[in-house]
Amino acid sequence: MFFLRICWMAASSLRANLMRSVLACLGVIFGVAAVVSAMAILEGSTRDAVKRFETLGADQIIVMNGSDGGRGSRNAVSLSLTHSDADALGELESVKNTAPESLITAQIKHFEKNLSIQLLATNQNYATINGYKAVRGRTLTKQDVVSGRKVCVLGHKVARQLFGETPTVGSRVRIGGIGFTVIGVMEKKGFLGMRDVDDQVVIPLTTGLTRLFGNKYVQFITVQAEESSELESIMQEVKRHMRVEHSIRAGEVDNFRVMTKEQITQQIGGFVQIMAIVLYSIAGISLVVGGIGITNIMLVSVTERTREIGVRMAVGAKRSDILLQFLLEAGVVSVLGGGLGILLGRGFTKILENVTQLLETYTTPRSIILALGMAFFTGVAAGLYPAFRASRLDPVEALRHE
Amino acid sequence: MIELRQLRKLYKMGDSIVHALDGADLDIGAGEFVSLTGASGSGKSTMMHLIGCLDRPTSGTYKLDGLAVNRMSDRQLAMVRNHHIGFVFQTFNLINRTSAVDNVAVPLIYSRKTSTRAAAMAALDKVGLTPRASHKPSELSGGERQRVAIARAIVNEPKLILADEPTGNLDTRTGEQIMAIFHQLHAAGTTIILVTHEMDVAAQAKRIIRMRDGKIVADEMLDEHKRTALQAEARDARYPVGSPT
C-alpha cells in the first residue's frame, strides 16, 4: 500500500513536469528500441536459418572444397572437387546418390525479357535427392548430362516471370549468351538449403562447366546416404574414400570438408551468436547512455525540489522514504520509456522487414519482459545517485532552500 | 512536555564559531500556548528547529514527552516528527502539483496509514476548507493555503504544533482568521509554540519567551493587562504617532 502510494506520488511528480520527464525518457526509449530490434532481428535470423535447413534432408552429407583446418584456411579455398569425385562416391555401398553442384549468378533472356538468376549446374540426381519435382516437362536425365546437352529446367518463379501463363516447355532461352531449350518447370518450393530455388535455373553439369563456368571444378557434392541413422559412420567412409580419390597421404590434411546438415546448422548458430554479441553491445551502450540521461535530469529535479524534500522530511518522511520516492521516479520514467521503446523497436523492425524484404522479425513475450526489466534496472541504477543525494539532505537546510 | 537543559547549538562559519543557541533551559507544559520572539539572529529559528526535531543540539539535553530526543537517530527523529509534531511555515510549503486533500494526506503516507482520505478530509473540515479539498494550492488564496498547511500539521493529531511566522505572509484580517484556528486548537488541548517577531501576534499567546543572541532573555506569563500593553506597543510601532491612520 505504502509502496503504491509512493509510486503514485512519483507518477504525479513526473506528470507535473511532463516535458522534462519525456526528455528523461528519450534515451531509454531509444535504448530499449535498440534492444527490442536486436532481439527481433536475431530471433528472425535464427528461425530463418532453422527453416532453411529443415528443407535439407536428414540423410544428406555435403562435401565442400577447402580444408578442415583452422578458421583462417577457409579464406583461401583451393578448388579440388570434380564430378568424378561425385561418381566415385556414388559407387559406395552406403551411398544412394550423389549430385555435384556448381552455382553462379547469370542472366537469362527470352526475347526482350531479361532476368538475373541463380544458375545451378548439376546432374540428374539433384532433383531426386532433394525430392524436388517438375510440374511441367521433366527434370535432367543422365543422357542430358553425359552428352552435355544445352537444356535447362526453370524454377517456378523464373518460368512465371519469363513466360507468364503461356506454355514454356520447348521454348528457347539464352543464358550467358548461349541458347538453351527449356525442358521443364519445377514445382514451387521456396528455400532448399541456403537459397530460394524458385529463383534458380538448372542445367547439366557438363554443359555448365565446359561452356559457362570456365573451370573443371565443382563447388560441392551432395551425398545421399542409404541409412540416415548411420550418417556419422557414412560420413567417415566418405572422408576416407575422398582421401584415396584425392591421393592424400597419411599425415597430410584434407583438401575438402565433409559436413552434415546438423553441422551446418551449428555453424550458422555460431554466426548468429557473433551477430548477437555485436547487436547486444550496441543496444547495451545506448541503454547506458539513456541511463546517464536519467541521472542528469534526476539531479536537476532533486536540486529544484530541495524545499519539497525538506517539507516531506519535516512532516515525517524518513531518509529511506525519500530515497525510495526518487528511485521509483527514475524507475517509472524508465519503464514508461521502456514501453514506448518496445513500440518504437517493433515499428522499426516492421519497417526493416518491409523495406529490405530480407528477413522476418519476431518480438517474443520473453524479449518484451526482458526489455522492460532492463529498462527498469537501468532507471533504478541511474536514479541511485540522485536519490541518495536527495535522501542525505539536511532538513533545516532543505527548508531554507529558495 | 518539553524539557530543555543547557541546550547549545554551534555553527562553524569559516574560522569563527557562531553560538546560535547558547545554553537554553526551558520547560513547556502540555497544552500551553507559547510565543517565541526575538529579532532575526536571536536564535529563535534554531530553537524551533531543535524543538521540532529537525536538528540535533551540539550539547545539552532535550526531552519531548519524556523521550530523550537528543540521542535519537535520524530515523527515530523522522518518526517523532511524523507522530508528535505538526509544522506550519510562513510560506505554507505546500506541494503545488497536488490537491489540497493530497497535501494534507502526506504525513499519513509516511506513517504508513492504509486509508488516508477520510482523515485528510476530517482535518480539512476542522479548518473549514472542505469545499476546496480538490483545489490545487495555486487555485487557493494565501489564507486558504495556510489553512491547508494547518490541516496537514494536525492530520496525525500531534501533541505539539510549531508555527513559524504563520501570519507573516498574510494580511491582517486573514492573519486573524489563522490565529483564531490556533486558539481553537489550543482550546482542544494541543500545545502550540508560535515563533514570530510581530508583537501583536505574539501577545495572543498565554506565555511569551523573548530571545536575544542565542539566549532566553525573558519568559513571562501574559495576563489581560500585559497583553493589552503589548498590543498597544505593537500598534504604536506599526503606526507611529503623527502618521495618518
Side-chain angles (χ1 to χ4, degrees), chain A residues 4-288:
Chain A
L4 279 182
R5 276 178 203 282
I6 296 274
C7 269
W8 175 246
M9 247 155 56
S12 81
S13 73
L14 291 171
R15 207 177 44 216
N17 216 325
L18 200 62
M19 192 59 205
R20 177 186 298 170
S21 308
V22 168
L23 283 175
C25 274
L26 220 52
V28 175
I29 292 177
F30 286 115
V32 168
V35 171
V36 168
S37 309
M39 285 195 286
I41 291 167
L42 286 172
E43 182 72 23
S45 24
T46 310
R47 286 194 196 187
D48 189 54
V50 168
K51 195 175 69 191
R52 286 179 186 208
F53 284 95
E54 260 167 8
T55 56
L56 277 186
D59 55 356
Q60 291 181 14
I61 295 168
I62 315 288
V63 183
M64 283 172 277
N65 287 298
S67 67
D68 243 340
R71 278 158 189 265
S73 62
R74 216 178 285 155
N75 296 332
V77 175
S78 59
L79 299 175
S80 62
L81 300 178
T82 61
H83 75 275
S84 56
D85 290 334
D87 294 341
L89 289 174
E91 302 293 312
L92 291 174
E93 281 281 305
S94 54
V95 171
K96 196 192 259 175
N97 272 317
T98 57
E101 298 178 36
S102 262
L103 197 68
I104 56 167
T105 312
Q107 295 288 320
I108 184 165
K109 274 189 194 168
H110 177 68
F111 294 107
E112 64 275 20
K113 283 197 183 135
N114 195 338
L115 285 181
S116 179
I117 46 116
Q118 296 277 336
L119 185 65
L120 175 72
T122 182
N123 69 5
Q124 67 281 5
N125 297 329
Y126 171 76
T128 13
I129 290 175
N130 291 302
Y132 185 26
K133 295 181 186 67
V135 282
R136 261 175 279 161
R138 58 174 178 87
T139 57
L140 296 179
T141 60
K142 192 173 180 187
Q143 204 51 51
D144 293 331
V145 180
V146 171
S147 346
R149 285 184 184 148
K150 292 188 277 181
V151 294
C152 65
V153 185
L154 304 183
H156 180 83
K157 207 151 94 192
V158 180
R160 216 186 45 217
Q161 285 177 348
L162 277 187
F163 297 99
E165 299 305 314
T166 56
T168 43
V169 176
S171 305
R172 300 280 299 167
V173 292
R174 291 186 82 78
I175 301 171
I178 296 164
F180 280 83
T181 306
V182 178
I183 54 168
V185 176
M186 300 305 283
E187 65 182 330
K188 193 169 181 206
K189 185 86 171 177
F191 277 93
L192 197 61
M194 283 304 279
R195 56 187 193 276
D196 185 351
V197 290
D198 292 341
D199 255 343
Q200 175 182 275
V201 173
V202 180
I203 57 171
L205 182 75
T206 41
T207 318
L209 292 188
T210 53
R211 294 176 188 274
L212 287 161
F213 289 53
N215 66 50
K216 63 176 173 130
Y217 297 103
V218 300
Q219 286 163 356
F220 47 93
I221 299 168
T222 304
V223 178
Q224 185 181 28
E226 285 284 0
E227 273 301 326
S228 59
S229 54
E230 286 162 35
L231 211 60
E232 192 59 35
S233 67
I234 297 172
M235 198 170 93
Q236 293 310 321
E237 198 182 342
V238 166
K239 259 187 191 170
R240 273 197 306 276
H241 205 76
M242 283 297 294
R243 284 180 73 91
V244 173
E245 202 62 27
H246 282 193
S247 329
I248 297 168
R249 273 171 296 190
E252 282 181 355
V253 291
D254 297 343
N255 57 2
F256 59 88
R257 286 186 296 148
V258 182
M259 294 181 101
T260 60
K261 172 181 140 186
E262 236 72 11
Q263 288 168 327
I264 294 175
T265 313
Q266 270 170 19
Q267 213 167 50
I268 301 264
F271 285 128
V272 170
Q273 250 171 18
I274 290 168
M275 200 157 91
I277 291 168
V278 172
L279 286 177
Y280 283 141
S281 306
I282 294 169
I285 288 167
S286 45
L287 256 186
V288 167

Side-chain angles (χ1 to χ4, degrees), chain A residues 1-2 5-6 8-9 12-13 16 305 307-308 311-322 325 392 394-396 399-400, chain B residues 11 45 49 54-55 74-75 78-79 81-82 85 87 89 91 93 95 97-98 102 106-107 109-110 112-116 152 156:
Chain A
M1 194 64 205
F2 172 71
R5 276 178 203 282
I6 296 274
W8 175 246
M9 247 155 56
S12 81
S13 73
R305 286 157 65 192
R307 206 187 173 95
E308 177 196 322
V311 174
R312 288 183 184 279
M313 285 176 161
V315 303
K318 300 180 194 84
R319 296 195 181 281
S320 57
D321 295 337
I322 300 291
Q325 184 189 340
R392 298 317 301 173
D394 175 44
V396 173
L399 279 169
R400 267 196 212 126
Chain B
Y11 290 107
S45 292
H49 293 143
L54 288 166
D55 207 354
D74 282 353
R75 194 178 175 82
M79 280 156 85
R81 290 196 296 270
N82 187 241
I85 302 171
F87 287 93
F89 302 96
T91 52
N93 280 339
I95 297 165
R97 58 179 179 270
T98 55
D102 284 342
V106 170
I109 293 175
Y110 293 122
R112 310 294 200 267
K113 294 267 164 63
T114 45
S115 67
T116 58
R152 180 178 64 190
N156 249 343

Side-chain angles (χ1 to χ4, degrees), chain B residues 8-11 17-23 41-43 213-215:
Chain B
R8 249 173 246 280
K9 182 71 188 178
L10 308 181
Y11 290 107
I17 289 171
V18 178
H19 292 251
L21 198 62
D22 200 2
S42 62
D213 298 335
K215 288 191 170 76

